[in-house]
Amino acid sequence: MATSSSTNKLIVFTLSLILVAFQVVHADYYRPRPPVTPTPYVPKPWIPLPSPKPVYRPPTIPSLPAGSIARQFLDPHNALRSRLGLPPLVWDSKLANYAKWWANQRRYDCSLTHSTGPYGENLFWGSGSSWAPGFAVHSWVVEGSTYNYNTNSCDGSGMCGHYTQMVWRDTKRLGCASLVCDNGAGVFITCNYDPPGNYVGEKPY
């Protein structure tokens, strides 16, 4: 009888544990979850993207036809500058038009008078009517034999200012014109340079 009573107590105790465990699980399963407070959205300040840097593209320079008047002036200039390691000049139509305008002013007298404009300027005159651009440029090139770089002066009584303008390092553009003057006065040739050279006290390169 005692054994039966003990068994009954054990059964009751076991059932009690199962009931408590069920209640705990049951309560946890149905327990409402605590409300979740959403984190307020704070937008980041707008930072504009940096503008892309502009890409420099040098202007397209139209090629000059071989043997053209422009080439007859430009090529010997650049041949001389190349021998001295100087950058080449480019033909500039604005300078060429300026040179043509000034040559027309000298049509009646062919006088070797400078235009006193904003550009460097070399002038040439030859009698007759058959002087080609190359003759004028060559007459300026040979002045280099009288130029003394160490003293930055012309040796003796020779001229060298035409030569120093041709080889002035900072000059970049060239424009020239040739004109047969009226009444058989000869041929007038002028070349203009931009930026100009032959600044007093400065060497050309």
Side-chain angles (χ1 to χ4, degrees), residues 61-90:
I61 301 172
S63 59
L64 300 172
S68 64
I69 295 297
R71 278 288 180 198
Q72 292 179 49
F73 282 114
L74 183 63
D75 288 348
H77 274 82
N78 285 339
L80 172 62
R81 292 173 69 90
S82 177
R83 291 200 297 270
L84 297 173
L86 300 173
L89 303 178
V90 296

Short mmCIF file of all heavy atoms in Angstrom, two decimals, residues 61-90:
data_model
loop_
_atom_site.label_atom_id
_atom_site.label_comp_id
_atom_site.label_asym_id
_atom_site.label_seq_id
_atom_site.Cartn_x
_atom_site.Cartn_y
_atom_site.Cartn_z
N ILE A 61 45.39 72.72 -87.07
CA ILE A 61 46.04 73.63 -88.00
C ILE A 61 46.01 73.00 -89.38
O ILE A 61 46.56 71.91 -89.59
CB ILE A 61 47.50 73.92 -87.58
CG1 ILE A 61 47.52 74.53 -86.18
CG2 ILE A 61 48.18 74.82 -88.59
CD1 ILE A 61 48.90 74.68 -85.60
N PRO A 62 45.34 73.63 -90.33
CA PRO A 62 45.26 73.03 -91.66
C PRO A 62 46.64 72.90 -92.28
O PRO A 62 47.50 73.77 -92.13
CB PRO A 62 44.37 74.01 -92.44
CG PRO A 62 44.48 75.30 -91.69
CD PRO A 62 44.67 74.93 -90.25
N SER A 63 46.87 71.80 -92.96
CA SER A 63 48.16 71.59 -93.62
C SER A 63 48.27 72.51 -94.82
O SER A 63 47.29 72.83 -95.49
CB SER A 63 48.30 70.13 -94.05
OG SER A 63 47.25 69.78 -94.94
N LEU A 64 49.49 72.96 -95.07
CA LEU A 64 49.74 73.85 -96.20
C LEU A 64 50.22 73.03 -97.38
O LEU A 64 51.07 72.15 -97.24
CB LEU A 64 50.80 74.89 -95.81
CG LEU A 64 50.45 75.80 -94.63
CD1 LEU A 64 51.67 76.62 -94.23
CD2 LEU A 64 49.28 76.70 -94.97
N PRO A 65 49.70 73.30 -98.56
CA PRO A 65 50.13 72.54 -99.74
C PRO A 65 51.63 72.71 -99.99
O PRO A 65 52.18 73.80 -99.82
CB PRO A 65 49.30 73.15 -100.88
CG PRO A 65 48.17 73.85 -100.21
CD PRO A 65 48.67 74.30 -98.88
N ALA A 66 52.28 71.63 -100.38
CA ALA A 66 53.71 71.71 -100.71
C ALA A 66 53.90 72.67 -101.87
O ALA A 66 53.15 72.66 -102.84
CB ALA A 66 54.23 70.32 -101.06
N GLY A 67 54.92 73.52 -101.75
CA GLY A 67 55.21 74.46 -102.81
C GLY A 67 54.39 75.73 -102.78
O GLY A 67 54.60 76.63 -103.60
N SER A 68 53.43 75.83 -101.84
CA SER A 68 52.61 77.04 -101.75
C SER A 68 53.47 78.21 -101.27
O SER A 68 54.57 78.03 -100.73
CB SER A 68 51.44 76.82 -100.79
OG SER A 68 51.92 76.59 -99.48
N ILE A 69 52.97 79.42 -101.49
CA ILE A 69 53.70 80.61 -101.03
C ILE A 69 53.95 80.54 -99.53
O ILE A 69 55.05 80.86 -99.05
CB ILE A 69 52.91 81.89 -101.39
CG1 ILE A 69 52.82 82.06 -102.91
CG2 ILE A 69 53.57 83.12 -100.77
CD1 ILE A 69 54.15 82.24 -103.59
N ALA A 70 52.94 80.09 -98.78
CA ALA A 70 53.10 79.98 -97.33
C ALA A 70 54.24 79.03 -96.99
O ALA A 70 55.06 79.31 -96.11
CB ALA A 70 51.80 79.51 -96.70
N ARG A 71 54.31 77.90 -97.68
CA ARG A 71 55.39 76.93 -97.43
C ARG A 71 56.76 77.52 -97.78
O ARG A 71 57.75 77.25 -97.11
CB ARG A 71 55.15 75.67 -98.25
CG ARG A 71 54.18 74.70 -97.63
CD ARG A 71 54.79 74.02 -96.44
NE ARG A 71 53.88 73.08 -95.83
CZ ARG A 71 54.02 72.60 -94.60
NH1 ARG A 71 55.01 73.01 -93.84
NH2 ARG A 71 53.16 71.75 -94.11
N GLN A 72 56.81 78.30 -98.84
CA GLN A 72 58.09 78.89 -99.25
C GLN A 72 58.64 79.84 -98.19
O GLN A 72 59.85 80.03 -98.08
CB GLN A 72 57.93 79.61 -100.59
CG GLN A 72 57.64 78.68 -101.76
CD GLN A 72 57.46 79.44 -103.06
OE1 GLN A 72 58.27 80.30 -103.42
NE2 GLN A 72 56.38 79.15 -103.77
N PHE A 73 57.74 80.44 -97.43
CA PHE A 73 58.18 81.28 -96.32
C PHE A 73 58.44 80.45 -95.06
O PHE A 73 59.44 80.63 -94.37
CB PHE A 73 57.12 82.34 -96.00
CG PHE A 73 57.10 83.51 -96.93
CD1 PHE A 73 56.01 83.74 -97.77
CD2 PHE A 73 58.16 84.40 -96.97
CE1 PHE A 73 55.98 84.83 -98.62
CE2 PHE A 73 58.14 85.50 -97.82
CZ PHE A 73 57.05 85.72 -98.65
N LEU A 74 57.52 79.55 -94.75
CA LEU A 74 57.55 78.84 -93.46
C LEU A 74 58.66 77.81 -93.37
O LEU A 74 59.36 77.72 -92.34
CB LEU A 74 56.19 78.17 -93.23
CG LEU A 74 55.99 77.44 -91.90
CD1 LEU A 74 56.07 78.43 -90.74
CD2 LEU A 74 54.64 76.72 -91.88
N ASP A 75 58.85 77.02 -94.42
CA ASP A 75 59.80 75.91 -94.33
C ASP A 75 61.24 76.36 -94.04
O ASP A 75 61.90 75.77 -93.17
CB ASP A 75 59.75 75.08 -95.62
CG ASP A 75 58.47 74.25 -95.71
OD1 ASP A 75 57.75 74.15 -94.69
OD2 ASP A 75 58.18 73.72 -96.80
N PRO A 76 61.78 77.38 -94.72
CA PRO A 76 63.15 77.79 -94.38
C PRO A 76 63.26 78.39 -92.98
O PRO A 76 64.31 78.27 -92.34
CB PRO A 76 63.52 78.81 -95.47
CG PRO A 76 62.23 79.24 -96.06
CD PRO A 76 61.28 78.10 -95.92
N HIS A 77 62.20 79.02 -92.50
CA HIS A 77 62.21 79.50 -91.11
C HIS A 77 62.38 78.31 -90.16
O HIS A 77 63.23 78.33 -89.26
CB HIS A 77 60.90 80.22 -90.78
CG HIS A 77 60.87 81.67 -91.13
ND1 HIS A 77 60.61 82.12 -92.40
CD2 HIS A 77 61.07 82.78 -90.36
CE1 HIS A 77 60.64 83.45 -92.41
NE2 HIS A 77 60.92 83.88 -91.18
N ASN A 78 61.56 77.28 -90.37
CA ASN A 78 61.59 76.15 -89.45
C ASN A 78 62.83 75.29 -89.62
O ASN A 78 63.27 74.63 -88.67
CB ASN A 78 60.32 75.31 -89.62
CG ASN A 78 59.11 75.98 -88.99
OD1 ASN A 78 59.26 76.83 -88.12
ND2 ASN A 78 57.92 75.61 -89.43
N ALA A 79 63.40 75.27 -90.82
CA ALA A 79 64.66 74.54 -91.00
C ALA A 79 65.76 75.18 -90.16
O ALA A 79 66.56 74.48 -89.51
CB ALA A 79 65.05 74.54 -92.48
N LEU A 80 65.80 76.51 -90.15
CA LEU A 80 66.80 77.22 -89.33
C LEU A 80 66.54 76.98 -87.85
O LEU A 80 67.47 76.68 -87.08
CB LEU A 80 66.74 78.71 -89.65
CG LEU A 80 67.59 79.63 -88.76
CD1 LEU A 80 69.07 79.28 -88.88
CD2 LEU A 80 67.35 81.10 -89.11
N ARG A 81 65.30 77.09 -87.43
CA ARG A 81 64.98 76.91 -86.01
C ARG A 81 65.26 75.48 -85.56
O ARG A 81 65.71 75.24 -84.43
CB ARG A 81 63.51 77.28 -85.76
CG ARG A 81 63.23 78.77 -85.94
CD ARG A 81 61.74 79.08 -85.85
NE ARG A 81 61.22 78.88 -84.50
CZ ARG A 81 61.19 79.82 -83.55
NH1 ARG A 81 61.67 81.03 -83.81
NH2 ARG A 81 60.70 79.57 -82.36
N SER A 82 65.03 74.52 -86.44
CA SER A 82 65.30 73.13 -86.10
C SER A 82 66.78 72.90 -85.83
O SER A 82 67.15 72.14 -84.92
CB SER A 82 64.81 72.21 -87.22
OG SER A 82 65.12 70.86 -86.94
N ARG A 83 67.64 73.54 -86.61
CA ARG A 83 69.09 73.37 -86.41
C ARG A 83 69.53 73.89 -85.04
O ARG A 83 70.54 73.44 -84.49
CB ARG A 83 69.85 74.10 -87.52
CG ARG A 83 69.72 73.47 -88.88
CD ARG A 83 70.84 73.92 -89.82
NE ARG A 83 70.83 75.34 -90.09
CZ ARG A 83 70.17 75.91 -91.10
NH1 ARG A 83 69.45 75.16 -91.93
NH2 ARG A 83 70.23 77.22 -91.30
N LEU A 84 68.76 74.82 -84.49
CA LEU A 84 69.11 75.40 -83.19
C LEU A 84 68.30 74.76 -82.05
O LEU A 84 68.40 75.20 -80.90
CB LEU A 84 68.86 76.91 -83.21
CG LEU A 84 69.71 77.71 -84.19
CD1 LEU A 84 69.26 79.16 -84.25
CD2 LEU A 84 71.19 77.63 -83.80
N GLY A 85 67.50 73.74 -82.38
CA GLY A 85 66.70 73.08 -81.35
C GLY A 85 65.53 73.90 -80.87
O GLY A 85 65.05 73.72 -79.74
N LEU A 86 65.02 74.80 -81.72
CA LEU A 86 63.91 75.67 -81.34
C LEU A 86 62.60 75.11 -81.89
O LEU A 86 62.59 74.45 -82.93
CB LEU A 86 64.13 77.08 -81.90
CG LEU A 86 65.40 77.79 -81.40
CD1 LEU A 86 65.61 79.10 -82.16
CD2 LEU A 86 65.33 78.04 -79.90
N PRO A 87 61.47 75.37 -81.21
CA PRO A 87 60.18 74.86 -81.70
C PRO A 87 59.80 75.51 -83.03
O PRO A 87 60.14 76.67 -83.28
CB PRO A 87 59.20 75.24 -80.59
CG PRO A 87 59.85 76.37 -79.86
CD PRO A 87 61.33 76.12 -79.94
N PRO A 88 59.09 74.79 -83.88
CA PRO A 88 58.73 75.34 -85.20
C PRO A 88 57.65 76.41 -85.08
O PRO A 88 56.88 76.45 -84.13
CB PRO A 88 58.21 74.11 -85.95
CG PRO A 88 57.69 73.21 -84.88
CD PRO A 88 58.61 73.40 -83.70
N LEU A 89 57.62 77.26 -86.09
CA LEU A 89 56.55 78.25 -86.21
C LEU A 89 55.38 77.63 -86.96
O LEU A 89 55.54 76.65 -87.68
CB LEU A 89 57.05 79.48 -86.98
CG LEU A 89 58.28 80.20 -86.41
CD1 LEU A 89 58.67 81.36 -87.33
CD2 LEU A 89 58.02 80.70 -85.00
N VAL A 90 54.20 78.21 -86.77
CA VAL A 90 53.03 77.79 -87.55
C VAL A 90 52.56 78.99 -88.37
O VAL A 90 52.73 80.15 -87.96
CB VAL A 90 51.88 77.28 -86.65
CG1 VAL A 90 52.30 76.03 -85.91
CG2 VAL A 90 51.43 78.35 -85.67
#
